Amino acid sequence: MLSVAGLRKRYGEVVALDGFELEVAPGEIVGLVGHNGAGKTTFARAVAALLRVDAGTVRVAGRPITPRRRRPGELGLAPQELALFPTTALENLRYAGRLYGLGRHTLAERIAETAEALGLTELLPRPVEDLSGGQQRRLHAAAAMLHRPRVLLLDEPTVGADPVTRELLLHAVRDLADRGTAVVYTTHYLPELEVLDATLAVADHGRVIARGSRAELLAALPGRVTLSFADGAGLVFPPDLSGHAGGLHGDDVVITAIDPAAAAARLLAANPEHAARLRSIALDAPSLDDLYRELLTRNGA
Ligand code: ATP
């Protein structure tokens, strides 16, 4: 549905996009992750035809998008910075809907539906300046999703959002994808991508350096398990868990391994008398930080 090839953009000496490529299928949610300055926002602005790129193409459903050939109805963009008019929530949604070419009847229907999905119904008559930050964030996303675009770009939509706002937003995004929208969701939080069941694209220095399912990209990364014992004295480490993979810190054991649960089981099996003194066990899956570190090492950065 979204097909981006060879995007390049320079700002003077700064190369913001350096051959950025991304394909997103209908109904797919791609979690676009990467360090600050990796080019994620520039990419979103280029796809929305809000800036002129130096090279490359953006296609939605096979048709090229350029600043001259924008198709607002096909695209929804919620940038990082809130962009709302100083009027009521309802007027903001009406304005967005008209901009996207929705007719009166459909507009009223979609506003009711989207407001309901994002918990905004009661807030529609209120002036935007009276809404809390989280409520404004939901309204901002609603304005981008109202017309059920073919491609939806959300740039860190949950920054500063409370858990309720976060959940509403994630569900609304998943629902839209289930109707066939291709979504690019920029975030720094891996757990959100799990809720969305998103695939991953990792950006670095203006290009995508890794693309695939979460399982594919995270499978090779080690996770961590921490076992806390009432008394850890005398624990013995099986040979494969000794060295840097495992160690005793006070009465806690921290093991880093590809399969941390299996490693914990091996440690307990080797120490049956300590198993009765186990107070807690905590598994930490690999984080996005672990993924960046691994990819940057692999790419020689
Ligand atoms: P963040 O996670 O902080 O939002 P990002 O991945 O979205 O970062 P971009 O905002 O796309 O990164 O920026 C990519 C690079 O381009 C950065 O080095 C940034 O300083 C530069 N850049 C972006 N917009 C401009 C601009 N209008 N003028 C000059 N440089 C810019």
Side-chain angles (χ1 to χ4, degrees):
M1 179 65 81
L2 174 66
S3 183
V4 172
L7 280 191
R8 291 182 190 281
K9 177 72 186 174
R10 285 183 87 103
Y11 292 104
E13 290 297 290
V14 179
V15 179
L17 296 178
D18 188 17
F20 202 106
E21 313 262 341
L22 192 64
E23 298 278 336
V24 189
E28 181 180 4
I29 302 176
V30 178
L32 179 58
V33 302
H35 286 305
N36 296 137
K40 306 178 299 292
T41 301
T42 310
F43 156 78
R45 290 175 54 75
V47 171
L50 295 175
L51 60 82
R52 195 172 294 281
V53 290
D54 303 328
T57 56
V58 175
R59 287 173 190 275
V60 171
R63 296 197 291 174
I65 304 263
T66 66
R68 279 216 204 129
R69 272 182 292 180
R70 269 201 211 148
R71 301 178 202 281
E74 301 199 339
L75 230 125
L77 168 69
Q80 253 173 65
E81 326 74 51
L82 292 177
L84 295 166
F85 297 104
T87 170
T88 62
L90 179 60
E91 274 311 314
N92 267 275
L93 293 183
R94 280 191 180 141
Y95 180 77
R98 284 196 288 263
L99 193 75
Y100 293 134
L102 294 183
R104 248 171 61 120
H105 186 68
T106 317
L107 177 59
E109 231 175 60
R110 295 288 175 79
I111 288 177
E113 233 172 70
T114 313
E116 178 71 29
L118 287 168
L120 290 166
T121 309
E122 310 289 310
L123 306 174
L124 288 177
R126 303 252 301 265
V128 161
E129 55 269 33
D130 291 356
L131 301 182
S132 74
Q135 291 165 341
Q136 290 190 13
R137 208 121 310 261
R138 273 184 263 158
L139 180 61
H140 179 69
M145 299 165 73
L146 194 63
H147 57 302
R148 292 189 198 146
R150 286 171 184 255
V151 172
L152 176 66
L153 303 158
L154 298 169
D155 199 348
E156 295 187 44
T158 54
V159 166
D162 67 18
V164 174
T165 292
R166 188 173 294 238
E167 199 183 319
L168 286 168
L169 254 162
L170 295 178
H171 273 100
V173 172
R174 187 64 256 174
D175 278 355
L176 203 61
D178 289 342
R179 290 173 187 269
T181 294
V183 180
V184 181
Y185 187 101
T186 301
T187 185
H188 293 290
Y189 307 116
L190 192 54
E192 292 193 344
L193 300 181
E194 271 152 26
V195 174
L196 289 170
D197 196 20
T199 58
L200 273 176
V202 184
D204 184 55
H205 287 95
R207 59 167 73 191
V208 172
I209 58 167
R211 176 84 171 94
S213 70
R214 295 188 315 286
E216 279 163 358
L217 294 185
L218 297 174
L221 299 180
R224 232 180 348 260
V225 61
T226 307
L227 300 99
S228 297
F229 293 93
D231 180 4
L235 263 168
V236 291
F237 286 89
D240 59 326
L241 296 184
S242 57
H244 70 277
L248 193 59
H249 307 273
D251 290 319
D252 288 356
V253 173
V254 181
I255 303 170
T256 306
I258 294 288
D259 187 347
R266 284 204 299 284
L267 180 76
L268 293 173
N271 296 274
E273 70 291 0
H274 282 78
R277 284 182 248 153
L278 183 64
R279 279 197 313 210
S280 71
I281 179 162
L283 280 169
D284 291 310
S287 66
L288 281 179
D289 261 356
D290 298 327
L291 180 61
Y292 297 145
R293 228 172 288 130
E294 162 70 18
L295 288 171
L296 295 182
T297 315
R298 216 189 288 161
N299 283 272

